[in-house]
Amino acid sequence: MMMTEKELVIDDIVTDAMATPSPAKSMGDPGITPLSPTHVLNDSEDNEPTRHYYVVVVAIDFGTTSSGYAYAFTKEPECIHTMRRWEGGDPGVSNQKTPTTILLTPDKKFHSFGYAARDFYHDLDPTESKQWLYLEKFKMKLHTTANLSIDTDLHAANGKKVKALDIFAYALAFFKEQALKELSDQAGADFDNADVRWVITVPAIWKMPAKQFMREAAYKASLVSRENPDQMIIALEPEAASIYCRKLRLHQMVDLSNKTALNGYSPTENVGAGMTQAKEHVRRNRQSRTFLVENVIGELWSELTEGDRYVVVDCGGGTVDLTVHQIRLPEGHLKELYKASGGPYGSIGIDYEFEKLLCRIFGLDFIDQFKIKRPAAWVDLMIAFESRKRAAAPDRSNPLNINLPFSFIDYYKKFRGHSVEHALRKSNVDFVKWSSQGMLRMSPDAMNALFKPTIDHIIQHLTELFDRPEVTDIKFLFLVGGFAESSLLQQAVQNMLQGRSRIIIPHDVGLTILKGAVLFGLDPSIIKVRRSPLTYGVGVLNRFVEGKHPPEKMLVKNGTRWCTDVFDTFISADQSVALGETVKRSYTPANPSQQVIIIHVYCSEKESVSFITDPGVRKCGTLKLDVSGTESPVARREIQTLMQFGDTEIRAMAIDVATSRTVKASIDFLSQ
């Protein structure tokens, strides 16, 4: 077989008969030859599918702690409707969303979601509740699982295992049913799912396997079909927030850094006052679930000029995402300046600190047993903590009381042989006292201490971001997500920035991403340039160059010396990629009867990679080209592959050059 300057090293080529061994190991003939590696910007759009016209865009904000949906009709893009309220709700929590909680029957069938799931589980008899499967805060599993696959498991409150894909599919199917029901009621007839463009939000720091997992769950939930994948798009949460913030009017936000009164709020008052007023404003407007997005740029945005930069800090329940955007005029398109960063520093970190505190007072052995034996009561205790957590403030002087469920007090006495009160007296935790009404009484300092590790992580990350050369002269910092309501977090961000940027918090901050995701679904091309989070490429053979290539990588073949394991870079980490920009490679099947070509994709967090064996390089996916059913008139077939990296997901397309027929191409990041 003829050799070119570059040859692809393939670990296994799937043919209709058998798989050949790795050529790097067997020193055999490499199976596939890249012909002309080239970068192409906005390649011809002949191969693009015909665009479908959608009647409505429905965005699902699938959060760690709370979830919801919103929608807009494509003919009325300025009207965003947030989901209608169904049963349940928490005192003091004025959110349009519902808790991300799911309840399955003892035989693992879907029962309920949100408040309905929580309330039903709460009302079950303790002996019965042990049989039911209750799950909450499960979204974080997609971020924290190193080898995420279709078979990844989750654990319910009673310790039983259940497939993560089933849970995510149940949740998406629930929102699909609710949204279609609401749309059908509005239309006075059954609303066809084919008329809906679905948008699902994910954190920007999520890797490709987690995004693909969400897509697989959407297929399983029949949100969209594999035959029509473009009916669903993935929106990155801080990007959605950024798009929404462009539309903000002065009366729709709180400016923490403003030295003059805004909305009657002066910054010399406590930090939370503006948010209190914002919440009241939102509550008064709550009966109207329709949010009007004026078809103009907001006043704040009109202060931005070409090249101005701003940061979006999305503080959710599970993760904190930081994105740096630059404005491009005249259209006001957005360009990502630095790859998304952040980490698992969401508000559930405070819940874990509270759990650690309970373990210090009552013992880890007891808390572990209580969670298994009284799972519903444990959920009740965490709900009680959640409502008090929201009352934490920098200047609070009176203590916070947390209700202990009766079964906690009762079970502790049986377990230890003495009372909860006795445990508190004996423990060295002097800032938590026992109240005779059956409550834990926490001093404000004790509550603030629970926030400290999580807030410290966020501030450290922000400090590192602002120290980067790409992140200078930031005009605005938009603080969004449910955790952004915390006045403790607001004050910490203010102290860190020291007036370097204006801090803007939209009203109804928990719905910012949801509304922005609807706007993104209406116009997905608004983000024109993104940054690649990782370096992606494949392994190839190059001509061996003395002094440049390591001797152990040399392979002699037909008298020619080749270097194995060379990393052929598709795209580098933090490289800016335009929307629609493609990387083009041509591959040739090893033999004419071959049905499927499988090429291993490697990735690294480093910007510069030389070999697929370099430290930090790992196999992260497979590029699959299905060449069956495309008989070629030429002996040596050329399959031209185009890969897009500028979107929220990586896409692949391929054509048989000789016949100009489309070849089915896919990139799989899950089945590793």
Side-chain angles (χ1 to χ4, degrees):
M1 180 169 140
M2 287 288 294
M3 305 288 278
T4 59
E5 284 303 299
K6 283 189 173 181
E7 293 238 352
L8 184 71
V9 175
I10 249 212
D11 285 0
D12 55 352
I13 298 162
V14 179
T15 66
D16 47 343
M18 56 175 279
T20 58
S22 160
K25 298 188 188 81
S26 66
M27 298 299 181
D29 188 55
I32 292 177
T33 314
L35 299 172
S36 49
T38 47
H39 273 264
V40 182
L41 181 65
N42 293 328
D43 206 70
S44 79
E45 295 172 11
D46 302 345
N47 302 316
E48 281 202 5
T50 50
R51 290 182 186 268
H52 180 88
Y53 175 76
Y54 297 103
V55 176
V56 68
V57 170
V58 179
I60 299 172
D61 179 6
F62 197 127
T64 302
T65 50
S66 62
S67 298
Y69 68 85
Y71 59 94
F73 292 98
T74 48
K75 283 186 175 170
E76 287 184 294
E78 67 284 351
C79 290
I80 300 175
H81 310 268
T82 47
M83 66 187 198
R84 63 181 172 196
R85 258 274 161 80
W86 51 84
E87 71 279 72
D90 278 346
V93 180
S94 65
N95 206 338
Q96 200 81 28
K97 297 198 284 187
T98 191
T100 309
T101 52
I102 200 163
L103 183 64
L104 307 188
T105 61
D107 58 352
K108 296 188 178 178
K109 296 278 189 296
F110 176 79
H111 179 272
S112 48
F113 186 92
Y115 288 115
R118 221 174 63 177
D119 296 347
F120 187 91
Y121 186 61
H122 169 272
D123 293 340
L124 284 169
D125 180 81
T127 51
E128 207 181 349
S129 68
K130 278 188 251 178
Q131 307 306 315
W132 288 67
L133 289 88
Y134 179 83
L135 294 103
E136 59 179 359
K137 298 169 188 162
F138 48 84
K139 180 184 169 187
M140 278 303 285
K141 185 81 173 185
L142 299 197
H143 181 71
T144 54
T145 304
N147 301 308
L148 186 68
S149 78
I150 291 294
D151 298 317
T152 296
D153 287 318
L154 295 173
H155 288 90
N158 61 2
K160 287 184 182 172
K161 281 202 298 194
V162 60
K163 287 270 171 280
L165 191 69
D166 290 343
I167 297 302
F168 281 83
Y170 281 144
L172 290 176
F174 170 79
F175 280 113
K176 176 191 172 186
E177 185 190 346
Q178 292 292 332
L180 287 178
K181 195 162 178 283
E182 181 169 344
L183 290 166
S184 297
D185 289 350
Q186 274 208 16
D190 280 353
F191 205 90
D192 187 355
N193 187 50
D195 290 332
V196 181
R197 160 53 75 81
W198 294 96
V199 182
I200 295 179
T201 66
V202 303
I205 53 169
W206 267 17
K207 304 278 192 292
M208 273 309 300
K211 292 179 189 175
Q212 189 184 332
F213 190 94
M214 282 303 256
R215 185 164 279 284
E216 291 296 329
Y219 292 147
K220 193 174 174 85
S222 299
L223 204 68
V224 295
S225 69
R226 287 183 197 278
E227 291 68 47
N228 187 19
D230 293 339
Q231 190 185 350
M232 180 193 114
I233 52 175
I234 282 184
L236 306 181
E237 288 162 7
E239 280 190 3
S242 181
I243 293 164
Y244 170 73
C245 288
R246 300 165 75 239
K247 302 284 187 182
L248 281 176
R249 308 304 301 258
L250 288 176
H251 65 272
Q252 294 165 337
M253 65 191 185
V254 174
D255 186 342
L256 285 191
S257 42
N258 211 341
K259 295 292 175 283
T260 56
L262 175 69
N263 297 335
Y265 147 63
S266 156
T268 51
E269 296 169 29
N270 88 46
V271 176
M275 285 310 289
T276 309
Q277 194 163 353
K279 284 179 190 171
E280 177 57 26
H281 172 84
V282 165
R283 193 191 61 74
R284 284 199 304 270
N285 292 300
R286 191 37 53 78
Q287 47 276 35
S288 162
R289 289 181 302 105
T290 303
F291 174 82
L292 283 175
V293 183
E294 297 180 45
N295 205 9
V296 292
I297 295 295
E299 287 111 327
L300 193 70
W301 208 261
S302 61
E303 293 181 35
L304 289 171
T305 54
E306 173 76 43
D308 274 351
R309 301 149 177 225
Y310 62 94
V311 170
V312 176
V313 183
D314 172 19
C315 306
T319 53
V320 168
D321 260 348
L322 300 123
T323 314
V324 188
H325 278 159
Q326 187 173 38
I327 187 89
R328 288 169 60 174
L329 296 173
E331 301 90 353
H333 289 141
L334 306 178
K335 174 184 177 182
E336 191 176 15
L337 276 189
Y338 179 66
K339 65 180 181 182
S341 60
Y345 319 133
S347 60
I348 57 172
I350 303 154
D351 301 354
Y352 296 140
E353 290 300 318
F354 178 60
E355 195 176 320
K356 276 163 44 182
L357 178 66
L358 292 176
C359 291
R360 270 177 66 193
I361 298 169
F362 303 107
L364 174 64
D365 55 343
F366 166 72
I367 295 296
D368 282 348
Q369 272 301 301
F370 181 70
K371 281 159 87 173
I372 292 164
K373 298 288 186 194
R374 300 283 187 273
W378 174 255
V379 170
D380 279 354
L381 174 54
M382 292 313 289
I383 292 167
F385 172 69
E386 175 68 32
S387 69
R388 302 320 297 142
K389 179 173 90 176
R390 287 169 182 269
D395 56 348
R396 191 184 173 99
S397 54
N398 52 328
L400 296 118
N401 293 326
I402 297 157
N403 263 318
L404 275 187
F406 171 74
S407 61
F408 185 98
I409 298 162
D410 183 54
Y411 192 72
Y412 184 79
K413 186 150 183 124
K414 286 175 184 164
F415 190 88
R416 287 272 189 256
H418 58 247
S419 69
V420 162
E421 191 178 353
H422 177 83
L424 276 159
R425 274 204 311 271
K426 285 283 185 197
S427 81
N428 57 354
V429 183
D430 55 359
F431 43 76
V432 180
K433 301 278 187 264
W434 175 246
S435 143
S436 54
Q437 290 98 359
M439 295 177 180
L440 290 180
R441 178 165 287 179
M442 286 183 81
S443 71
D445 287 348
M447 179 61 91
N448 295 1
L450 300 182
F451 278 74
K452 193 177 184 317
T454 302
I455 289 178
D456 284 354
H457 270 304
I458 296 169
I459 297 303
Q460 183 192 345
H461 216 93
L462 261 177
T463 305
E464 287 168 9
L465 183 73
F466 271 76
D467 284 346
R468 297 196 66 88
E470 306 95 318
V471 191
T472 50
D473 303 322
I474 299 296
K475 203 157 196 177
F476 297 115
L477 182 143
F478 291 102
L479 204 52
V480 302
F483 192 18
E485 290 184 1
S486 163
S487 50
L488 289 167
L489 176 61
Q490 291 170 19
Q491 188 185 59
V493 174
Q494 270 186 302
N495 292 344
M496 173 251 152
L497 280 176
Q498 294 290 309
R500 278 183 287 174
S501 304
R502 282 171 65 186
I503 303 165
I504 307 294
I505 306 172
H507 284 183
D508 220 356
V509 68
L511 296 179
T512 303
I513 288 150
L514 195 47
K515 292 168 183 173
V518 174
L519 294 172
F520 178 68
L522 291 165
D523 179 15
S525 66
I526 191 138
I527 312 272
K528 291 295 182 199
V529 180
R530 289 186 173 87
R531 296 267 170 172
S532 177
L534 297 168
T535 296
Y536 289 98
V538 291
V540 300
L541 286 182
N542 268 7
R543 293 232 181 219
F544 190 85
V545 179
E546 205 74 54
K548 177 187 173 188
H549 294 137
E552 66 272 15
K553 297 280 185 195
M554 190 173 76
L555 161 70
V556 180
K557 190 171 161 187
N558 300 337
T560 306
R561 299 192 307 167
W562 299 89
C563 181
T564 62
D565 297 339
V566 175
F567 190 96
D568 173 25
T569 303
F570 290 161
I571 197 153
S572 299
D574 204 33
Q575 181 181 330
S576 69
V577 207
L579 191 65
E581 186 174 342
T582 57
V583 176
K584 187 194 285 185
R585 295 287 188 273
S586 290
Y587 302 120
T588 299
N591 61 62
S593 62
Q594 195 169 323
Q595 299 290 300
V596 179
I597 300 171
I598 291 197
I599 301 160
H600 290 293
V601 179
Y602 295 84
C603 68
S604 170
E605 290 186 9
K606 293 176 183 165
E607 286 178 36
S608 178
V609 181
S610 303
F611 299 98
I612 59 172
T613 50
D614 285 0
V617 177
R618 58 191 171 85
K619 196 171 82 180
C620 63
T622 49
L623 171 62
K624 183 176 172 185
L625 306 173
D626 185 347
V627 292
S628 60
T630 53
E631 292 307 312
S632 180
V634 292
R636 185 180 163 87
R637 294 163 71 189
E638 182 186 342
I639 309 297
Q640 194 178 80
T641 308
L642 297 169
M643 284 157 288
Q644 281 190 345
F645 291 89
D647 216 328
T648 56
E649 295 173 274
I650 297 171
R651 301 170 187 275
M653 298 159 286
I655 51 168
D656 189 322
V657 173
T659 62
S660 297
R661 287 179 61 180
T662 302
V663 171
K664 198 174 170 190
S666 58
I667 298 189
D668 183 12
F669 292 94
L670 271 178
S671 54
Q672 298 311 306

